[in-house]
Amino acid sequence: QVTTTVEPSLQVAPYACQRRTPLDHPHSALVMALETLAEAALFEGEEARGLAFTRAASVLRCLPRALRGTHELSGLPGIGAHSHRVLQEVLEDGVCVEVETVKQSERYQTMKLFTQIFGVGVRTADRWYREGLRSLGDLRSHGTRLTREQQAGVQYFEDLAVPVGQAEAESLVCLVLDATAHLLPNASVTLAGGFRRGKPCGHDVDLLLSHPEEGREVGLLGSLVAWLGEQDLLLYQHSSYSTAAEASSSCRALDRFDRCFTILRLVLPTAGTRVRAWRAVRLDLVVVPHSQLPFALLGWTGSRHFERELRRFARHEREMVLNSHGLYDMRQGTFLLASSEEEIFQHLGLDYIPPTLRNA
Ligand code: GTP
Ligand code: MN
Ligand code: MN
């Protein structure tokens, strides 16, 4: 008697926000190859090419089981000819020559180093590269003109290069909870970003602050920043406030919340042998009116690609505009309210995807 097992074919929905993408998956080598090329394309200012590689990588991240061979790639959405070639090479040879060449190039390594500095984007990194700068030492010794933000980024580079761990994230949440409890009783502090998606570490901690009585949150950012300063915990901060004038003039901007990008002095647990008592970590604070909290939470949880796909899906499949403030239905000409993330997915006609499955 012969039994044949039929392999279920891999079914993948076209938009990342229609897919469940866990943190762990069996294709890390393939994903790393594509994401390296995506990053390299962005370093050259080639956004569309970068996005194509990011899309292909995101499809591999969501596959429910390991690929059984190159033949299975053809049924997947979003794998262009170039990505297909790269994947085939990694599947067959273990490495892709193009990817290895990129990784070893001075250009890629330098751009990666420079863009890792807090406050440095691709344009600045590219300018420094063309000026012949190659290292942090070069930036320091050539007296390169740095913004205040970049000065802090260079000064605390070594600390910020060490990922923030879950215990450190928790102690930052506790610190902010403690402070807000004094400054504004009943204020809420919600962890967003990569940690909410279940990542064990991240480049920063993202916190949303709100208050159940809308309007009470006004002024919280200023008093919290002042408090952190008084405690001597603030190594750097850059705040922006959504004044009424600014909000009306920049109605096309993605996000108009009061926010503060900081570098904090995180006091380390005491240990007998430790030389240093603290280290620098990045903390982002965003203050959100209560009625917008579900939208802000959805927008600040990420991943970046999941967010991009949610917005693309809303616009192209539903004629809706989604951002961190709300959801606008262009056909009805109305804003759709929501009291939870689940309701936003419902408005969009999407199955709910929990944060830990948004690692697209
Ligand atoms: P790690 O910090 O490296 O763990 O990754 P992360 O996913 O937390 O990334 P990051 O902290 O950069 O951003 C968290 C989420 O907030 C992402 O989904 C971003 O899209 C979103 N985000 C970051 N900056 C802004 C912003 O200025 N406006 C809005 N609306 N969203 C932002
Ligand atoms: Mn983050
Ligand atoms: Mn952040």
Side-chain angles (χ1 to χ4, degrees):
Q1 206 176 350
V2 179
T3 56
T4 47
T5 42
V6 178
E7 296 296 352
S9 63
L10 291 163
Q11 301 280 343
V12 176
Y15 289 88
C17 57
Q18 298 172 300
R19 312 192 291 245
R20 302 165 76 80
T21 310
L23 204 53
D24 295 312
H25 59 82
H27 297 109
S28 49
L30 299 176
V31 167
M32 269 201 306
L34 292 174
E35 288 183 348
T36 301
L37 295 182
E39 198 179 22
L42 294 180
F43 289 163
E44 302 318 310
E46 299 173 28
E47 310 271 331
R49 226 161 66 81
L51 189 55
F53 286 125
T54 299
R55 285 224 174 99
S58 176
V59 166
L60 291 171
R61 281 180 178 277
C62 84
L63 297 182
R65 62 162 171 80
L67 284 167
R68 302 223 157 81
T70 318
H71 62 281
E72 286 197 311
L73 290 174
S74 54
L76 301 175
I79 314 275
H82 196 156
S83 292
H84 191 283
R85 235 169 29 240
V86 171
L87 293 172
Q88 184 161 10
E89 208 177 318
V90 178
L91 281 167
E92 287 169 5
D93 308 341
V95 288
C96 166
V97 174
E98 184 187 0
V99 175
E100 296 311 304
T101 308
V102 162
K103 280 202 292 195
Q104 279 156 31
S105 70
E106 189 174 38
R107 169 72 180 177
Y108 173 81
Q109 288 179 8
T110 310
M111 289 296 285
K112 197 164 171 68
L113 173 73
F114 286 166
T115 55
Q116 201 193 327
I117 302 169
F118 177 59
V120 179
V122 167
R123 279 180 183 202
T124 303
D126 176 62
R127 195 178 71 238
W128 290 344
Y129 187 87
R130 286 186 284 109
E131 286 169 9
L133 305 171
R134 294 291 181 269
S135 66
L136 290 179
D138 289 349
L139 290 180
R140 287 169 175 142
S141 63
H142 287 242
T144 310
R145 280 184 56 145
L146 301 174
T147 63
R148 197 175 65 90
E149 190 180 23
Q150 292 162 355
Q151 280 172 30
V154 170
Q155 182 176 355
Y156 299 111
F157 181 85
E158 285 77 11
D159 270 3
L160 300 185
V162 178
V164 181
Q166 243 155 18
E168 291 176 319
E170 272 163 38
S171 76
L172 283 179
V173 173
C174 288
L175 174 74
V176 174
L177 269 171
D178 265 4
T180 53
H182 287 99
L183 300 168
L184 181 65
N186 293 324
S188 65
V189 177
T190 312
L191 186 63
F195 285 107
R196 184 158 182 257
R197 302 198 309 274
K199 279 176 64 174
C201 58
H203 95 285
D204 69 355
V205 173
D206 306 284
L207 296 180
L208 304 187
L209 310 177
S210 190
H211 192 283
E213 269 175 71
E214 186 141 338
R216 297 286 303 279
E217 79 285 353
V218 174
L220 177 57
L221 191 63
S223 54
L224 179 56
V225 168
W227 184 89
L228 290 168
E230 283 158 20
Q231 307 295 311
D232 196 25
L233 298 175
L234 211 47
L235 299 169
Y236 171 88
Q237 70 94 8
H238 170 91
S239 304
S240 53
Y241 291 93
S242 64
T243 61
E246 195 191 333
S248 60
S249 70
S250 63
C251 56
R252 281 183 59 81
L254 268 184
D255 187 324
R256 304 177 300 273
F257 298 118
D258 286 2
R259 72 179 58 193
C260 184
F261 297 126
T262 74
I263 300 175
L264 283 201
R265 183 198 302 276
L266 179 69
V267 177
L268 298 169
T270 46
T273 53
R274 207 191 301 280
V275 180
R276 293 182 57 192
W278 62 274
R279 83 171 187 102
V281 291
R282 281 265 300 107
L283 171 71
D284 287 344
L285 297 166
V286 186
V287 177
V288 181
H290 191 252
S291 62
Q292 299 175 23
L293 195 51
F295 296 98
L297 188 56
L298 182 58
W300 281 83
T301 296
S303 68
R304 244 166 232 285
H305 187 60
F306 190 89
E307 302 299 330
R308 184 161 44 217
E309 290 280 280
L310 265 177
R311 294 190 173 124
R312 191 167 71 93
F313 179 88
R315 184 170 279 280
H316 291 105
E317 304 298 326
R318 300 291 185 257
E319 290 184 57
M320 293 180 185
V321 181
L322 174 69
N323 62 27
S324 293
H325 296 276
L327 178 62
Y328 182 75
D329 186 327
M330 293 191 284
R331 281 173 298 191
Q332 294 183 29
T334 55
F335 283 95
L336 303 174
L337 302 181
S339 58
S340 65
E341 285 184 320
E342 282 87 342
E343 284 182 34
I344 304 172
F345 282 85
Q346 272 171 26
H347 284 316
L348 290 166
L350 284 169
D351 286 343
Y352 178 66
I353 310 287
T356 53
L357 296 176
R358 296 180 203 162
N359 288 291

